[in-house]
Amino acid sequence: MTLYMDIRYTFGALRAAGQAGSSAPEVFIHRPMAHRALMSLLDHLTFGATEFRERLALSIAIVCAGISGAWLSRSLRDWLDRTSATYVGLAAFAALAWAPTVTVLQPEWTAVLLSVAAIAAALGRQSSVAAWRSPWLVVAGTLLALAALQKYTTATTVVVALGVLVVVSWRRGAVVAGWTAVTTVGLFLLTLLNRHEYQWFREMPELNDTAVVKWSALGSSLWYFPFLNPVVMVLPAAVILGYRLSRRRIWWAGPPIAAAVVMAGVAVQNAYYLHHYAALSVLAGAVVALACALWIRRVGTFPSVALIGLVWMPTAWWLSRRPLQWRADHVGLAVAGEIAVIALSIALAVRQPLDPADASRPQASWWKWLLTAAALALLLSFPAWPRTPALAYTAGETRVSEAAGRDRGIGTGRAIHEAAGGAEVVYAAGQQAAYFIGLPTACRYPTPTFLARSTRAPNAPSLASFQENLGCVRDRNAKYLVLNPQLIERGSAVPSVRQTIAAEFDCQHPVLQKENLLLCARRR
């Protein structure tokens, strides 16, 4: 169990600045205050050595996912039969717990977790009175407000959750939507009362590259994501099975609209990382589980969607274990496999007989329930398999390689920490530097985002955040600079950044050079 570098970046920044007395609202992380506060709370619940602390943080996250899934299952029993409700709750839990390393604890993941809990709170028997003053509907609205504020673009996840509530009970959905809107606006305005939060809210978009759509990255992500989350590939077939059972048009309209809403959040960011699609994998898992459970209960036969899963998983396992260069040279094979799975699952879903094999006893035997659950578990757990690519089909990162990278990071961080003697530093290095090194910094920018991206905006040097970050380099209280030269190389940072670093620190003769990091002493 390992944390992804984005999560280490968050924890590392909070810890390094926290040692110098800064609280979560005062530390710049490329995340809104609501997410920083939530991650700070989680970090305070952990302790021990790095490896143990990572496992504990992930274990707490998985427990929270389990609670949300169990709560959802219990609440859905008032709307579905017991087995179908259990299937959906377990699928939501599995999609969260077995999400790729790159996804767990990202803002998108926490937003989905909060949204699942909100749906459970709104649909439970305890909130049967759909009045605006119902405490559980207020709780649901508050949870969705927190979900929306995890990254602002996670508002699309909240829209999907509200859509689910409206489909199940439009009265409850309307009340929760009202509370969500009021609470979101109120909490958002409260966060902006913090001067730096307002400053970062205005200035950070200046450094984001959203002017030109990255069509190549979009196209790659659209086939990377279903390969790494194969439950998405059988979603269209599950929709067909659900529609054939109920003849309700919501099966045709609901999942595509929800997927489009999630895609809108991804497109707005113009950065097509796989964790941006986190809501889609949980949605697909829940819908596929519901369709399979309803099919077995009403027809009594093994659903074709589960059969396709059992057939595809050995192939996906074999492809994911091929050498990296082989995968890069045979991309077409993976794409063809995805297309075949989607087409075959749709064809079988259309043609699978709807009439029970035994009209007098349409209920399936226990082994069909168990085998279907096993097939769904394989589909949902594939992202968590040790050799499954973590970022993309053509990328080398896996859970095994992430663990090896952590060991190297711990060694590098320990050496730099000892060389600095625990002194205060300023960081001009990558995302994981503060996490592994653990030296305190009085700078509210433990990762120099505004310096490293300063060539992206013509007015970057005039931004208050840039000036503050550069001022950290001049702060004489920081005895050392932790520098990754590649981070501020020409073309990335403006010349004044390199000039200020050269004037303040002697990086031509570093105290220590370890991996790609330099520990530079301040000039006298």
Side-chain angles (χ1 to χ4, degrees):
M1 298 176 72
T2 60
L3 293 175
Y4 186 60
M5 64 179 180
D6 286 356
I7 315 305
R8 291 173 180 159
Y9 152 60
T10 301
F11 285 148
L14 292 171
R15 293 172 189 173
Q19 291 181 67
S22 298
S23 62
E26 300 172 308
V27 182
F28 174 78
I29 300 169
H30 192 185
R31 302 287 186 265
M33 186 186 293
H35 185 70
R36 301 201 304 274
L38 190 65
M39 296 298 282
S40 177
L41 173 62
L42 174 60
D43 193 41
H44 278 85
L45 296 176
T46 64
F47 56 89
T50 299
E51 183 176 350
F52 175 80
R53 203 168 183 179
E54 287 196 0
R55 291 180 176 178
L56 182 57
L58 289 169
S59 297
I60 294 172
I62 291 172
V63 168
C64 291
I67 293 172
S68 294
W71 191 5
L72 178 64
S73 175
R74 180 63 188 86
S75 296
L76 287 177
R77 290 178 188 177
D78 296 330
W79 308 88
L80 297 169
D81 64 87
R82 185 186 185 93
T83 308
S84 297
T86 301
Y87 258 53
V88 174
L90 285 174
F93 162 65
L96 286 166
W98 285 329
T101 302
V102 67
T103 300
V104 178
L105 290 177
Q106 294 276 14
E108 291 81 3
W109 187 92
T110 56
V112 176
L113 174 66
L114 292 167
S115 296
V116 171
I119 294 172
L123 294 182
R125 185 175 300 172
Q126 68 278 0
S127 55
S128 57
V129 180
W132 66 270
R133 62 184 181 279
S134 172
W136 286 104
L137 297 186
V138 176
V139 169
T142 303
L143 289 171
L144 289 180
L146 291 174
L149 295 175
Q150 290 299 294
K151 199 180 175 182
Y152 304 139
T153 52
T154 52
T156 56
T157 300
V158 173
V159 171
V160 173
L162 289 172
V164 172
L165 290 177
V166 169
V167 168
V168 178
S169 172
W170 71 269
R171 289 182 182 276
R172 299 189 193 204
V175 173
V176 173
W179 279 114
T180 301
V182 171
T183 310
T184 301
V185 172
L187 291 176
F188 176 66
L189 293 177
L190 280 176
T191 62
L192 293 188
L193 292 178
N194 181 295
R195 180 178 68 85
H196 277 94
E197 189 71 12
Y198 179 65
Q199 173 182 307
W200 296 329
F201 177 74
R202 289 187 300 108
E203 295 184 349
M204 190 60 215
E206 297 281 346
L207 305 184
N208 291 334
D209 186 12
T210 58
V212 179
V213 177
K214 301 174 183 176
W215 293 109
S216 176
L218 171 61
S220 297
S221 70
L222 288 179
W223 78 265
Y224 285 160
F225 178 71
F227 180 87
L228 302 180
N229 297 268
V231 71
V232 176
M233 288 191 284
V234 297
L235 177 60
V239 167
I240 293 172
L241 291 181
Y243 177 75
R244 290 183 64 202
L245 286 169
S246 66
R247 294 297 173 181
R248 294 186 63 188
R249 284 176 289 183
I250 189 61
W251 281 96
W252 284 116
I257 292 174
V261 171
V262 174
M263 284 297 303
V266 177
V268 166
Q269 299 175 78
N270 199 27
Y272 303 97
Y273 301 120
L274 296 188
H275 61 268
H276 292 170
Y277 298 89
L280 190 54
S281 59
V282 178
L283 173 72
V287 171
V288 171
L290 177 60
C292 287
L294 293 177
W295 185 272
I296 297 175
R297 177 161 294 280
R298 299 184 187 180
V299 181
T301 58
F302 188 68
S304 58
V305 168
L307 175 63
I308 291 297
L310 289 175
V311 172
W312 167 249
M313 293 317 299
T315 305
W317 173 82
W318 182 82
L319 287 171
S320 66
R321 291 182 66 86
R322 296 306 92 198
L324 179 59
Q325 187 58 50
W326 187 95
R327 296 204 305 268
D329 294 338
H330 297 83
V331 167
L333 195 59
V335 176
E338 289 186 29
I339 295 173
V341 167
I342 295 171
L344 183 59
S345 63
I346 290 175
L348 291 177
V350 170
R351 297 183 61 85
Q352 186 168 10
L354 186 58
D355 296 330
D358 183 353
S360 62
R361 293 190 61 192
Q363 297 300 319
S365 55
W366 64 268
W367 68 266
K368 292 180 182 177
W369 289 106
L370 185 60
L371 189 59
T372 301
L376 294 177
L378 286 173
L379 288 170
L380 291 166
S381 67
F382 181 68
W385 293 9
R387 299 288 181 179
T388 299
L391 295 176
Y393 178 74
T394 54
E397 293 86 351
T398 65
R399 294 207 172 202
V400 173
S401 66
E402 289 285 345
R406 178 179 61 195
D407 294 339
R408 291 194 301 271
I410 291 173
T412 298
R414 183 182 297 114
I416 294 176
H417 191 283
E418 292 174 353
E424 184 178 307
V425 301
V426 59
Y427 289 96
Q431 288 182 307
Q432 303 182 82
Y435 178 83
F436 286 121
I437 295 171
L439 290 169
T441 180
C443 181
R444 67 175 72 247
Y445 301 88
T447 300
T449 304
F450 284 91
L451 302 184
R453 299 186 186 183
S454 52
T455 58
R456 294 190 181 185
N459 64 331
S462 65
L463 297 177
S465 302
F466 176 91
Q467 294 297 330
E468 290 176 352
N469 200 170
L470 196 60
C472 293
V473 180
R474 302 190 184 99
D475 182 5
R476 306 296 296 184
N477 291 321
K479 303 303 182 184
Y480 297 96
L481 171 74
V482 178
L483 174 68
N484 181 346
Q486 296 178 348
L487 196 67
I488 60 167
E489 64 185 4
R490 190 178 306 277
S492 176
V494 295
S496 61
V497 174
R498 297 188 295 275
Q499 293 166 3
T500 302
I501 289 176
E504 295 289 336
F505 293 93
D506 182 11
C507 291
Q508 297 298 317
H509 306 90
V511 176
L512 179 69
Q513 180 172 358
K514 193 74 173 175
E515 298 284 344
N516 59 347
L517 297 177
L518 305 179
L519 180 65
C520 310
R522 183 174 292 279
R523 297 184 186 277
R524 297 185 182 275

